Amino acid sequence: MPRTIIVSNRLPVKVTKTDEGFNLSPSEGGLATGLGSVYKQGRDKWIGWPGIVIPQQAEQENITDQLEEMSLVPVFLDQEEINQYYEGFSNEVLWPVFHYYVSTFAAYKQSQWEYYRDVNEKFKDIVLQHLEPGDVIWIHDYQLLLLPGLIRAELPDVSIGFFLHIPFPSHELFRMIPWRYELLEGMLGADLIGFHTFDDVRHFAGAVSRILPVNVSANVINIGVRSVVAESFPMGIDVKKYASLPLKKEVKENIQSIKDTFKDSKIILSIDRLDYSKGILQRLLAFEELLKTHPEYCEKVTMNMIVVPSRDNVPQYAHLRDEIDKKVGSINAVYRKMDWTPIHYYYRSLPIEMLSALYSTADVCLVTPLRDGMNLVSKEYVASRLNDDGVLILSELAGASKELIDALIVNPNNALEVCEAIIYALNMPLEEQQDRMRSMRQLIAKFNINHWVKIFMDRLKEVKQMQRSMQTRHVSAATEQSIIKRYHKTKKRIIFLDYDGTLVGFKSNMLQAKPDAELMDIIDKLSEDPANELVLISGRKHENLDEWFGNRNIYLIAEHGAWFKQQNTGWHKISGLSDNWKHDISPVLETYVDRTPGSFIEEKTYSLVWHYRNTQKGLGELRASELMNNLKYLASDKGLQLLPGDMVLEIKNVEVNKGKAALMLVERDDYDFIIALGDDYTDEDVFKSLPDNAVTIKVGSNVSAAKFYLRNPAEVRQLLLGFVEEAVVH
Ligand code: GDG
């Protein structure tokens, strides 16, 4: 069993200083509660900050020893690091931007960024000190976005999972952060990146594809040899723990005392960490609305409000606390009766036995964050309802609302809607409460915390295996040498080279992708050797290939095989084909050009191509799939093939096919070395048509029928140079 090394900003325990020494207690917050019971299995370790600044070396050692017994490893941070990395960059920049509070709170300070980077480095050093071969690293949350990349730079093959516990914003917001590239590159150091919801995955993939020059297909991001997968893993809770707590003696006593206190009054529960994203003030407004517009509920309903102190050194949090104090004070002052107080407000952390009693006694749990990655309080409430009664009111902006669809789902900014939901909840018949609660209980029982850990870890293993199988197909130095050796041993060779994406990179204007001097030199050297038949096989127009390569000693195949030109002869096109279909297809394509700025049509002899490389990101892809759908039936009626390529959609006669063209040439002679290199969909026909002993090489890392792959045109050139340069030696 490989060890898992969990890394997060905070350890799951909080260290506090007492007269007798140091005291360790569980820390609050979703991550600590969620993973706290899981990591203790096996020989796993958890690395993180212990929640206290300890300047003395001797005291640090003392704490390290105490933590070691619990398989915990501290990362000590000094006060300035806490101010700048944690309170500054993490909580004044990343937290607000990721929760869509961008204009109000985010301020971009270079020094905070530098501390953020340095503290991530510090975490990296400690992770590396404790790492053993075979360990799997699981990094958590927004404070450590750079850590996966820093570890990857040192250990290219190690398994790294990353999980973001807060929402990932739309790229429009994310790109406002000055260090957007560095942050994304840091995250992409992981092999698997997990989020709570599918919306977060889409936002992340959208940001990566718009901000970094990498290839993203759906939720897979290809960066060189590594494919990184982004996926949603909605986090669950320790359901058994929350379901068994109400049976404990201490909890039962708490339940009784709450019932005695509130007698006939119904209880609405509100529990959060102090945070503006939790919508605490908005919730108070909705409750005030209820008391104002429905006075019949006064004395019949009480709100139990627990706010757990958090980040109160950050000015916005201190301000929020004051605002909550004032609002609670004013509601209580206006509506209080001699023997009834509308809001029982606690600004403190409560022991779990009290928390469980509060969940058990609440008729309604009001969870209305303005943004929340998941929200575990809502799930804990459901898990605590052993009689299947009680009503959960849940914000549609919490990740949990995607799963707990039987809650009363509300918009937290709409005080009237929340107020009506409270009234509906207070009057909900028991049967309806039980129907809703049962289905939510079933769901959270299945998708519990162990399930979450298991599916994340299983998927990480799969991703790593996928990467390793790609790596074994990558032309390594040894494979390259063996291909070169085989090349030199053979006497009659045929070499098929695709052009765009294989010999040269893509350019925004296709005529800019001209062959450079190095490429011409390679081509000339290869074609000088009388043992070689060099074939350039491209989808480009024959006029274009003729202009660039017409006078070279090579065989040219243009427009996917519609045109061909043998050395020292003119161009021929394959006979018996019709292009009458263009009259019907052209007008359709033109409507797409009119609707999509930046796109254009290229006309070839037997094909029409719709190019969308220079259109707005996302729009081109959307239109291309619309166009595919639009032309599906028309194309098959007319014997045409729709070929999606790299930012193009080509419509061509089915008979024209690079595979057929290549096969025709291969069958003309008895070759003892056949090699084909190509990067796109149309080259797959070549790979499939060639005999088994052919060396087929895909350029880029997508799925392919080729035996090997190379990453980019530079690697292709290196291999070809190997053929010609070694010729001198052999
Ligand atoms: C982040 C994301 C995501 C609360 N009061 C007390 C107490 N708690 C515990 C609750 C719960 C946890 O704190 C709060 O978890 P949330 O999920 O509601 O919120 P965040 O701390 O903001 O967590 C969030 C989470 O990460 C996990 O990925 O769901 O969206 O923001 O477990 O029970 N615990 C104790 N006393 C209290 O007074 N002992």
Side-chain angles (χ1 to χ4, degrees), residues 404-471:
L404 301 178
I405 52 173
D406 287 293
L408 297 181
I409 306 288
V410 293
N411 181 311
N413 293 307
N414 187 337
L416 268 183
E417 190 187 336
V418 178
C419 170
E420 277 162 19
I422 297 176
I423 296 172
Y424 189 85
L426 291 171
N427 295 292
M428 189 185 282
L430 181 62
E431 208 177 318
E432 183 180 346
Q433 294 180 28
Q434 290 179 329
D435 280 351
R436 288 172 180 268
M437 195 52 84
R438 268 189 211 117
S439 59
M440 292 194 283
R441 285 173 63 78
Q442 270 170 13
L443 187 125
I444 60 160
K446 175 166 165 53
F447 295 95
N448 61 34
I449 185 74
N450 293 314
H451 180 84
W452 179 71
V453 173
K454 182 171 181 331
I455 57 163
F456 186 92
M457 285 303 181
D458 286 352
R459 189 75 181 109
L460 177 56
K461 212 185 289 166
E462 275 172 29
V463 172
K464 208 66 211 170
Q465 274 160 2
M466 174 186 86
Q467 286 178 0
R468 287 185 179 140
S469 87
M470 286 291 286
Q471 270 162 16

Side-chain angles (χ1 to χ4, degrees), residues 30 33 165 196 235 273 278 308 350 372-376 380:
T33 351
H165 289 261
H196 284 304
M235 185 173 174
R273 226 175 12 78
K278 302 285 181 186
V308 182
L350 302 174
D372 218 335
M374 171 52 71
N375 191 291
L376 300 180
E380 290 165 9

Side-chain angles (χ1 to χ4, degrees), residues 26-34 95 99 141-142 163-167 196 235-237 242 271-273 275 277-278 306-309 311 348-353 355 358-359 367 371-378 380 398-399 452:
S27 55
E28 293 89 23
L31 175 60
T33 351
W95 179 276
H99 285 86
D141 233 359
Y142 62 103
F163 193 85
L164 187 72
H165 289 261
I166 64 174
H196 284 304
M235 185 173 174
I237 58 164
Y242 283 91
I271 299 187
D272 314 85
R273 226 175 12 78
D275 205 296
S277 68
K278 302 285 181 186
I306 291 87
V307 175
V308 182
R311 309 176 193 169
R348 73 183 82 131
S349 170
L350 302 174
I352 188 130
E353 290 74 16
L355 203 67
L358 288 166
Y359 284 140
V367 183
R371 276 275 159 186
D372 218 335
M374 171 52 71
N375 191 291
L376 300 180
V377 166
S378 58
E380 290 165 9
W452 179 71

Side-chain angles (χ1 to χ4, degrees), residues 98 144-149 162 164 168 174 182-195 204 226 228:
F98 281 41
L144 299 175
L145 295 179
L146 301 179
L147 185 57
F162 180 84
L164 187 72
F168 195 93
F174 181 79
E182 291 86 339
L183 293 170
L184 287 180
E185 278 163 0
M187 291 175 81
L188 289 172
D191 301 303
L192 176 63
I193 305 178
F195 301 89
F204 177 71
R226 255 173 358 103
V228 176

